[in-house]
Amino acid sequence: MIDLTGIISISGQPGLFKIVAQSKNGIIVEGLADKKRINVYASTKVSTLSDISMFTTSEDKPIEAIMHSVFTKEKGGAAVDHKADDKAIESYFAEILPDYDKERVYVSNMRKLFTWYNTLQSTGNLKEKEEKAESESAEDKTKLAKVSDSKTKKTTSTSGNVKTKTSAGVKKTAGVRKTGSA
């Protein structure tokens, strides 16, 4: 699978963008091709590439898997040009995804996919997901959870023995000392 986390497409804007930071009114993104940073407001329609999928005859296939099949077919090289004629694009797409729904997937969708793939490939953002790192991080998380569980058990057993003394009628404040003058 191809790693498309943090890559977005903005409605009305050409090209792909990478999420840089969050701002007060929305998000700050950087164009993959021109490296210009712009502010995208919360009312703007934004689509993350990792959430997009294409229709097939059985289940919808995520765009990450489709780009991975293009990546393996081209051995990391560029895909067919998005400006090629319709027959060439349809035949190339049929090689990559043979069970696509011919009634719901249009040539314009195929062109957009190849445009995105070639943009990611030319900017060097076309990377495969690291399966080993994910499994190692899952193991690390389980180890950390076990350690934190044992620490919480220790702290709860010792806190039951400690008694705090307060004077009658005075409420104890947590960490705040009253000085008497304001």
Side-chain angles (χ1 to χ4, degrees):
M1 296 278 274
I2 301 294
D3 186 21
L4 297 176
T5 54
I7 309 281
I8 62 170
S9 172
I10 302 172
S11 179
Q13 296 280 334
L16 294 175
F17 299 90
K18 185 178 190 179
I19 298 173
V20 176
Q22 188 171 354
S23 69
K24 188 181 200 181
N25 301 336
I27 56 174
I28 298 172
V29 297
E30 182 178 68
L32 292 181
D34 57 359
K35 303 288 186 198
K36 287 185 180 179
R37 290 186 179 193
I38 59 171
N39 189 15
V40 178
Y41 297 102
S43 61
T44 307
K45 185 176 179 184
V46 173
S47 301
T48 59
L49 291 189
S50 58
D51 293 338
I52 298 174
S53 60
M54 288 200 159
F55 298 113
T56 61
T57 54
S58 57
E59 293 182 1
D60 293 351
K61 192 156 187 173
I63 202 168
E64 294 173 334
I66 298 169
M67 284 193 179
H68 181 64
S69 60
V70 174
F71 186 79
T72 55
K73 180 181 178 353
E74 296 297 327
K75 297 179 179 71
V80 66
D81 187 26
H82 68 280
K83 294 181 182 179
D85 63 336
D86 293 349
K87 299 282 184 194
I89 289 183
E90 284 180 2
S91 63
Y92 188 84
F93 194 76
E95 291 175 17
I96 294 165
L97 189 64
D99 62 335
Y100 77 97
D101 192 353
K102 292 172 180 48
E103 293 178 5
R104 296 195 289 179
V105 177
Y106 301 110
V107 176
S108 61
N109 303 118
M110 298 174 201
R111 288 183 193 278
K112 174 107 30 182
L113 172 79
F114 295 137
T115 304
W116 288 345
Y117 177 85
N118 288 335
T119 301
L120 290 169
Q121 194 271 334
S122 65
T123 58
N125 290 311
L126 199 59
K127 301 171 195 148
E128 293 190 68
K129 283 186 180 177
E130 296 179 12
E131 302 286 332
K132 294 177 184 176
E134 290 177 5
S135 63
E136 288 175 3
S137 65
E139 291 173 5
D140 291 341
K141 287 179 183 177
T142 56
K143 288 179 184 177
L144 288 174
K146 288 179 183 177
V147 170
S148 65
D149 286 342
S150 64
K151 285 183 181 178
T152 55
K153 288 178 185 176
K154 288 178 184 175
T155 57
T156 55
S157 63
T158 58
S159 65
N161 298 334
V162 177
K163 294 183 181 179
T164 56
K165 294 182 181 179
T166 58
S167 60
V170 177
K171 292 182 181 178
K172 187 175 181 182
T173 58
V176 178
R177 178 173 282 194
K178 295 182 181 178
T179 59
S181 62

